[in-house]
Amino acid sequence: MDNGKKYTEISQDQLVRVFIDIENLDGDNIRFCFLLGAGASKSSGIDTGWELSKRWYDHLKKNNFAATWFNEITPENVGEYYTKLYEERYRACPELGYTEFEKLMAKSEPGIGYAILAQILAKKKHNFVITTNFDYLVEDAIRAYTSEKPFIAGHETLAGFISVQTKKPTIIKVHRDLFLQPFNSETETETLKQEWKNALSPLLNQFHLVVIGYGGNDGSLMNYLKTFNPTERKSIYWCVRNKSEINNKIQELLTQNDYIIEIHSFDDFMYALQGAFKFDIFEKLDDPNNHPFVTSSINRITKLNQERIKLATNLRENKISNPQALRTIMSGGVSGILLDAYIEKDLQKKEVIYREGLNTYRNDPDLLSEYGSFLYEINRPQDGFEKYQKAVDIKPDDNEAFYNWGTYLGSLAKTKSGEEADELYHQAFEKYQKAVDIKPDDHEAFYNWGTYLGSLAKTKSGEEADKLYH
């Protein structure tokens, strides 16, 4: 290692203060771009480049691999041989290498550092990330913890669409995206694609780089940074966990205008920036049911359920000609049972569907209400009455159950006479009244209620009929 350092050493607190000063002074011309390596993903469940290199090295050694360069590897420098080790480990079947990474990243979730980084990218002017990683942690964090939708340049063919003027969170994956044949071998990572060079040039010219978790062991990005004229780029703030990580490649790159910062970890540094920016993502963490992340998810689920209910209602009212087409979105659960019951034409089989459904969902008001309507249709009004009563006992604000109940009682009244009919009409009136009290904008309930009153008026005479028509 070259001990003649040209860079300046500053603390993490000093770098955080730079972010604060930019914020307070509203320095629009001072922006940061984050350069992330594998070390930034460790706390999110993804192995570092050193750990992967060590695993491949152990496998090759166990299988008696021999090469001059292989004998030069030590526990300290094994990470520098990442591309060579990967190439030899999967030389016989490169697809297995992709499979290993897919398995490695399948269960990874953005950690706290990525949650904070997402806030910076979405809400501040420091909205660019360059990364040699091909995981999805940055974009997953943006989608999960902000309302923004990032632009992801996961292949060099997308590099031409990168604009330094954009305010949208932008992620540049110079080794490609996981599912776009990412670069891992020495040949692939030796030279940076020209498309990336063209895109990164204006970015480096206008943005200061904050480097985290990147050891500079790939040839492509690191060599490009070294060939970039220092006078034509902004300063680099290179974060390391230990000064021993400052290898010769980093020494050769940095100039007197660049900085080295010792940090404990990616998460720790991001948490320090959270303290500076004071994003609201940590508010109400002790009250998760009322946290903005949870309430926004509940709102989305509620809207989705409302749309499902609307589809189910249209189905039951014969507004959808092909009910089979709905199976893909209404299969399973109560909605699937209601759909199956609607499609089934055999009355005995239809009742079996309702009964089996209630064995599983014993207290579901929608299922009880629909079963009640079915029981009325097959001339078992008392059984239907019991199901309606149970439905509204469970869910007193169930507008649809009261509406269906009123319709059922009104229709039943037409089959009776005298006081028995009057009592049923009175009960129907109460159910319709309750339905529109719960949902005053239910135009269909009002219409049917009016129709029902008009029909009732025809059975009366004199003042009683006039009152009902009125």
Side-chain angles (χ1 to χ4, degrees), residues 144 284 287-301:
K284 297 185 178 180
D287 183 18
N289 290 335
N290 293 310
H291 193 279
F293 294 162
V294 177
T295 55
S296 63
S297 295
I298 291 174
N299 290 337
R300 286 196 298 270
I301 293 171

Side-chain angles (χ1 to χ4, degrees), residues 12 28 49 110 142 152-153 156 183 201 213 225 239-240 263 274 289 294 308 313 327 340 345 364-365 375 401:
Q12 175 177 289
D28 288 337
I142 293 172
I152 306 159
E156 59 271 14
F183 295 154
S201 180
L225 292 174
C239 299
V240 295
I263 63 173
Q274 160 64 24
N289 290 335
V294 177
R308 179 192 65 83
T313 301
R327 282 194 179 278
D340 289 340
K345 300 306 179 184
D364 186 86
L375 290 170

Side-chain angles (χ1 to χ4, degrees), residues 216-229:
N217 292 319
D218 67 307
S220 58
L221 181 58
M222 196 62 174
N223 287 338
Y224 173 68
L225 292 174
K226 285 195 293 185
T227 58
F228 204 95
N229 190 332

Side-chain angles (χ1 to χ4, degrees), residues 94-328:
E95 288 81 3
L96 285 175
Y98 301 147
T99 301
E100 179 180 2
F101 281 107
E102 287 181 23
K103 183 177 179 180
L104 179 67
M105 298 174 187
K107 297 182 180 180
S108 63
E109 292 287 341
I112 188 172
Y114 280 100
I116 298 168
L117 177 61
Q119 306 304 307
I120 298 173
L121 296 172
K123 299 176 181 178
K124 301 299 177 181
K125 58 190 173 184
H126 318 296
N127 59 319
F128 276 83
V129 167
I130 302 169
T131 182
T132 54
N133 303 338
F134 31 81
D135 57 53
Y136 294 96
L137 294 174
V138 180
E139 51 263 53
D140 283 352
I142 293 172
R143 293 190 182 105
Y145 301 124
T146 80
S147 59
E148 293 293 324
K149 295 179 176 59
F151 172 69
I152 306 159
H155 193 281
E156 59 271 14
T157 55
L158 297 172
F161 297 96
I162 298 170
S163 169
V164 295
Q165 305 304 322
T166 185
K167 295 181 180 180
K168 180 181 289 293
T170 301
I171 305 162
I172 303 170
K173 297 184 175 184
V174 294
H175 287 173
R176 293 187 177 177
D177 186 273
L178 175 61
F179 297 115
L180 298 176
Q181 293 186 316
F183 295 154
N184 266 302
S185 70
E186 185 175 22
T187 303
E188 292 172 331
T189 61
E190 184 177 5
T191 305
L192 194 67
K193 293 284 187 178
Q194 186 61 45
E195 293 93 335
W196 292 130
K197 294 180 181 180
N198 296 339
L200 295 181
S201 180
L203 195 62
L204 295 173
N205 182 258
Q206 298 183 42
F207 286 71
H208 296 273
L209 275 185
V210 177
V211 183
I212 311 173
Y214 175 60
N217 292 319
D218 67 307
S220 58
L221 181 58
M222 196 62 174
N223 287 338
Y224 173 68
L225 292 174
K226 285 195 293 185
T227 58
F228 204 95
N229 190 332
T231 63
E232 296 178 356
R233 67 165 172 81
K234 296 291 186 180
S235 299
I236 297 175
Y237 294 77
W238 200 292
C239 299
V240 295
R241 290 179 302 168
N242 191 294
K243 291 178 184 177
S244 63
E245 297 176 9
I246 308 171
N247 56 37
N248 287 334
K249 294 178 181 179
I250 299 173
Q251 290 270 8
E252 293 169 3
L253 171 66
L254 302 184
T255 71
Q256 65 271 20
N257 295 322
D258 301 318
Y259 303 86
I260 286 288
I261 305 95
E262 275 194 304
I263 63 173
H264 180 67
S265 67
F266 169 69
D267 286 350
D268 183 68
F269 174 53
M270 285 295 143
Y271 195 67
L273 288 177
Q274 160 64 24
F277 290 126
K278 294 181 171 51
F279 298 117
D280 61 2
I281 59 171
F282 294 105
E283 295 178 7
K284 297 185 178 180
L285 284 182
D286 294 329
D287 183 18
N289 290 335
N290 293 310
H291 193 279
F293 294 162
V294 177
T295 55
S296 63
S297 295
I298 291 174
N299 290 337
R300 286 196 298 270
I301 293 171
T302 300
K303 182 179 179 181
L304 185 63
N305 191 43
Q306 289 171 344
E307 292 175 354
R308 179 192 65 83
I309 292 172
K310 183 178 179 180
L311 282 173
T313 301
N314 288 340
L315 176 64
R316 291 194 292 273
E317 294 174 356
N318 296 314
K319 294 179 181 178
I320 295 178
S321 59
N322 183 16
Q324 295 289 351
L326 286 181
R327 282 194 179 278
T328 55

